[in-house]
Amino acid sequence: MKKYFILAFAVLLSTFAAQAAPSTLALPTNGPMIHITPLLHASFQIEHGETVIQVDPTKSGNAMHPKMADLILITDIHGDHFDEAAMRAVDSNKTLVVAPQAVIAQMKSFQGRIIRLDNGSTKNNLPGFPNVSIEAIPMYNIERGPNAGQKFHAKGRGNGYVLTLGNTRLYIAGDTEATPEMKALKNIDVAFVPMNLPFTMTPEEAAQGVGAFKPRIAIPYHYRYPFDKENNHAQQFQMALGNSKIEVSLLDWYPKTAIEAASQKQ
């Protein structure tokens, strides 16, 4: 069912109000700076020194001219996360890809450069990345699905990730509700949290999940879907966190150039 909503996303994206160029969040660390740049919807780029990591790159997101990737993380099989053509566009011919088995089963490229990571597994010291650790966190629906007895995202199919760069831990939630695994996370510096219905959770539910593990910074993403009519989920999330000490960073996930690029493809 979600594929039809993804098509609708591309068609209706042009109706959103144009915004400024994408913001970039700079994070000081005990080593190289980390720069986080939103591309579109659920796609973003992480730069750690000279290492470039692309998360769920997509064709529309590539309109923002991301850099060539050293490492690509894919969370799930749906088209707003897994877009092999977009992955090839940022492939340096040395790029490593980390993905769950459900994604790998559909991939035709990157043979010999794919690292399978299952829920609960961790990879340390990847080839060429001695200071990078990646842990696969279950991402799934607890309650929501297209029909009785079905879930939009079944447990075990997709991955959220805890990405450790030096001493900085980033949680990339993927498509998920506020699961027990999310709430049990520890020592997270930055958390990317989705809040688009009907597939994940409300801003208030996202705030409850984040409030349980208390990251230093929370970044709402994967929230401005065409059917989120009021388009203020990030602000609702910020309000729902209330007086917590969690800093909310409202990055620009829908810059004007990406909206125009998507609309020109219709």
Side-chain angles (χ1 to χ4, degrees), residues 44-47 51-55 70-73 163 165:
F44 58 99
Q45 177 174 275
I46 301 170
E47 297 172 76
T51 299
V52 177
I53 301 168
Q54 301 283 349
V55 178
D70 301 298
L71 183 64
I72 295 175
L73 304 182
L163 174 66
L165 303 174

Side-chain angles (χ1 to χ4, degrees), residues 8-264:
F9 171 60
V11 172
L12 296 178
L13 188 59
S14 61
T15 65
F16 295 142
Q19 297 185 17
S23 50
T24 295
L25 177 65
L27 299 174
T29 72
N30 65 340
M33 290 279 288
I34 293 174
H35 292 88
I36 297 168
T37 303
L39 298 176
L40 184 72
H41 187 55
S43 302
F44 58 99
Q45 177 174 275
I46 301 170
E47 297 172 76
H48 182 227
E50 297 182 356
T51 299
V52 177
I53 301 168
Q54 301 283 349
V55 178
D56 289 344
T58 60
K59 289 188 287 293
S60 295
N62 280 357
M64 300 311 300
H65 307 293
K67 298 182 178 180
M68 301 300 284
D70 301 298
L71 183 64
I72 295 175
L73 304 182
I74 305 297
T75 61
D76 197 22
I77 60 174
H78 291 148
D80 53 341
H81 300 278
F82 173 46
D83 182 341
E84 195 163 0
M87 294 168 63
R88 288 194 293 267
V90 295
D91 177 21
S92 70
N93 295 319
K94 296 181 180 178
T95 305
L96 289 180
V97 176
V98 174
Q101 176 57 32
V103 170
I104 294 171
Q106 299 184 24
M107 289 183 64
K108 299 176 182 178
S109 307
F110 300 91
Q111 280 78 10
R113 293 183 282 137
I114 303 172
I115 297 173
R116 172 180 169 179
L117 205 58
D118 298 318
N119 286 182
S121 298
T122 300
K123 291 288 185 182
N124 298 309
N125 300 318
L126 297 174
F129 304 96
N131 296 316
V132 175
S133 172
I134 306 172
E135 179 183 357
I137 307 298
M139 49 147 274
Y140 59 96
N141 288 105
I142 300 172
E143 299 179 357
R144 295 183 173 94
N147 298 296
Q150 294 180 304
K151 300 292 185 290
F152 288 117
H153 304 89
K155 186 175 182 178
R157 187 187 74 199
N159 287 336
Y161 294 104
V162 171
L163 174 66
T164 303
L165 303 174
N167 69 334
T168 302
R169 287 165 52 82
L170 300 92
Y171 170 53
I172 302 160
D175 277 358
T176 190
E177 293 182 45
T179 64
E181 293 89 349
M182 173 192 289
K183 293 178 179 179
L185 291 169
K186 304 291 185 183
N187 302 318
I188 300 297
D189 294 292
V190 181
F192 296 83
V193 190
M195 51 198 74
N196 63 308
L197 295 178
F199 305 112
T200 60
M201 51 189 164
T202 67
E204 292 75 19
E205 290 168 347
Q208 290 175 5
V210 166
F213 67 91
K214 297 180 175 59
R216 183 164 59 89
I217 300 171
I219 300 177
Y221 86 133
H222 201 312
Y223 60 85
R224 186 170 293 177
Y225 222 65
F227 304 102
D228 295 339
K229 297 182 186 299
E230 295 183 2
N231 296 333
N232 62 351
H233 281 45
Q235 290 77 13
Q236 291 175 6
F237 171 73
Q238 189 173 37
M239 291 177 61
L241 280 174
N243 295 322
S244 75
K245 296 181 180 180
I246 300 169
E247 177 185 343
V248 178
S249 183
L250 301 180
L251 300 182
D252 182 5
W253 293 90
Y254 295 88
K256 179 179 179 181
T257 49
I259 295 171
E260 292 173 342
S263 64
Q264 288 168 3

